[in-house]
Amino acid sequence: RLSVLDWFPDLTLMVEPYYMAGSFIQQDVSFSISLPIWGLTNQRPMNQEMYAKVLEAEAMLLHTRNKTKTEVAQAYERAAGAEFRLQALRDEAVPKSRAALRVAERAYQAGSISFIDLLDTVRMVLMQEMDYAMAVEDLGMNLGHLETLIGKEIYLGGEEL
């Protein structure tokens, strides 16, 4: 766009006062205009190159915006999935496995199940709690990636993980 300004003429107005021994003698006024007759043919390839660079930069900007929008959407979906998994483990799977362990402990004390069955129940509880800890980590990593993309901190409403 700036290269188009090379096509416009340069206008000059000069006013020159003349003084001799501190007194004004005369004043010259001149006006000039320079027309860019030769510039049109010499500037054309440069203007086309600049226009092509502008188009390339605009296309690159559009590509970067679209890529960022896609990355943000994907990161949001991963974070939402991790939060859903975390809530399911926290609200259902871990409490149910702990309840099953209490039942298995009573059953073992009563002699209804073997020690191996009790250990298997303990193993299941530990697996659920390990899954919960991994879900907390996964949510934290996904939220961190999303925060990096959008440039702002994300709060989960004061909810403890």
Side-chain angles (χ1 to χ4, degrees), residues 16-128:
E16 295 181 50
Y18 290 103
Y19 295 94
M20 183 178 278
S23 62
F24 177 75
I25 297 177
Q26 72 181 35
Q27 186 169 358
D28 288 341
V29 176
S30 64
F31 176 77
S32 67
I33 182 168
S34 59
L35 299 174
I37 296 172
W38 299 279
L40 291 177
T41 56
N42 294 338
Q43 297 291 332
R44 190 173 201 114
M46 186 169 59
N47 291 340
Q48 289 174 344
E49 180 182 348
M50 287 184 177
Y51 182 70
K53 285 183 180 182
V54 167
L55 288 179
E56 181 182 0
E58 287 174 349
M60 188 175 265
L61 177 64
L62 180 63
H63 171 72
T64 303
R65 282 183 179 163
N66 288 337
K67 182 180 176 186
T68 302
K69 284 179 186 178
T70 302
E71 286 180 7
V72 168
Q74 289 172 347
Y76 175 79
E77 290 301 320
R78 283 193 300 273
E83 184 180 20
F84 179 77
R85 181 171 177 257
L86 179 72
Q87 288 175 350
L89 286 167
R90 181 189 60 217
D91 298 341
E92 295 178 22
V94 172
K96 285 181 182 178
S97 66
R98 288 179 182 164
L101 178 60
R102 287 190 294 274
V103 170
E105 286 173 341
R106 286 191 210 112
Y108 176 71
Q109 290 171 350
S112 337
I113 62 169
S114 69
F115 185 68
I116 299 293
D117 291 333
L118 177 63
L119 285 179
D120 188 47
T121 306
V122 169
R123 181 185 62 81
M124 293 299 283
V125 170
L126 291 175
M127 286 179 62
Q128 291 294 329

